[in-house]
Amino acid sequence: MKKSLLLIPLIIISCKKDPAVYETSKRDSTVVAEQPVSSERKDSSALRMKDSVINNAPKTKEVLRTGVMREVKDGQIIRTVDAEHFPVTLGEEFTKDGQEFILKITNFNKPNLKAKIATQQKDFNIRFNQIKLPNGDYDGPFGREIAYDVKGNGEVWLIIGKSNMASGNTKGSFTVSVE
């Protein structure tokens, strides 16, 4: 009996929980808190089911199809991207003859710009037609890849469309990678 009375305090001490540790960053107003690890694990099939429901929702499909910061008017597809998010790859599709894609790059402050158009079709007639610089000047035409020294900071436009000097299909999907 005396031995069991000695074991009770040892059991209580060993079962005692440590308090959660909290860190505060002195550089920013954001607080970083370290949470204790939960012993409960969420069922991965339930998480996959939730992802599946979100990814297959009609609104999600519409955003994935049309993109964010996208505007279509008079045969022009205009998308806007902030240069702070570089490198970026955007997917787009021409569904009619004579369409033009304008990629507006805001807050551009780098010395040079590199961009590339990629397609799955071999006979797709597409190229960088022009680049509009922050000072309002235009330059071009170019091919499917461009490496351009940009003077000044501001908004840069990449104008993509068909080449009048070449033949081929003008409808289809393509991606534009910019860095």
Side-chain angles (χ1 to χ4, degrees), residues 121-134:
Q121 302 170 359
K122 293 186 182 201
D123 68 334
F124 198 177
N125 180 2
I126 190 169
R127 70 171 181 186
F128 289 103
N129 285 336
Q130 289 185 313
I131 183 171
K132 181 182 177 192
L133 301 170

Side-chain angles (χ1 to χ4, degrees), residues 80-88 104-110 113 154-156 178-179:
T80 305
V81 66
D82 195 330
E84 291 180 9
H85 298 117
F86 280 0
V88 67
K104 294 182 179 181
I105 304 166
T106 59
N107 301 320
F108 190 81
N109 59 4
K110 297 182 173 138
L113 174 79
E155 188 171 86
V156 175
V178 186
E179 49 181 87

